[in-house]
């Protein structure tokens, strides 16, 4: 994840999570974006499972579409694999190099 500017938006409040569970919420207005690619990736299925919390992570969009670890600036296991809960651009399939690098620039 170098030299790419990306992020996401949700219209709901971020779900709270305690140390024993994962919380998932739907948000039809949510999206992720890439400044470098001038792209907006909308949620699939009316925003089902677009927002997640997990005590092991800092931030999760979708069911693995974009994951940041706690202390993400020091972690090399942050990842993206768009296509589970957010719509990929035409011609890109989930679980490919393209889906894993589209948002963040590299695996």
């Amino acid at each position: 994840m170098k030299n790419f500017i990306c992020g996401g938006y949700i219209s709901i409040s971020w779900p709270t999570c305690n140390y024993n569970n994962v919380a998932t919420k739907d948000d039809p207005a949510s999206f992720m974006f890439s400044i470098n690619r001038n792209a907006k990736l909308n949620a699939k299925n009316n925003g089902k499972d677009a927002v997640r919390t997990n005590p092991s992570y800092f931030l999760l969009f979708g069911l693995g579409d974009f994951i940041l670890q706690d202390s993400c600036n020091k972690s090399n296991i942050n990842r993206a694999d768009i296509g589970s809960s957010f719509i990929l651009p035409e011609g890109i399939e989930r679980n490919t190099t393209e889906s894993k690098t589209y948002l963040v620039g590299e695996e």
Side-chain angles (χ1 to χ4, degrees):
M1 292 186 177
K2 296 179 183 175
N3 302 319
F4 264 60
I5 300 170
C6 61
Y9 167 81
I10 60 173
S11 66
I12 60 174
S13 54
W14 203 263
T16 56
C17 173
N18 67 37
Y19 289 99
N20 298 317
N21 71 355
V22 173
T24 304
K25 282 195 168 182
D26 302 343
D27 183 8
S30 63
F31 62 87
M32 295 187 303
F33 63 87
S34 169
I35 298 295
N36 301 69
R37 297 187 190 277
N38 193 29
K40 177 182 171 189
L41 308 172
N42 292 312
K44 287 180 166 181
N45 303 319
N46 205 27
K48 180 157 177 50
D49 300 326
V51 183
R52 296 183 76 203
T53 59
N54 182 311
S56 301
Y57 301 101
F58 172 68
L59 174 113
L60 293 111
F61 272 85
L63 301 174
D65 292 74
F66 186 48
I67 300 171
L68 291 178
Q69 294 285 116
D70 285 334
S71 302
C72 56
N73 60 324
K74 298 176 185 173
S75 174
N76 64 356
I77 55 175
N78 303 304
R79 62 188 180 273
D81 189 8
I82 304 164
S84 174
S85 302
F86 290 83
I87 301 167
L88 276 165
E90 190 173 328
I92 299 178
E93 300 286 329
R94 182 159 162 70
N95 294 318
T96 63
T97 299
E98 291 84 5
S99 70
K100 295 174 183 177
T101 60
Y102 188 83
L103 193 64
V104 297
E106 64 181 40
E107 283 189 74

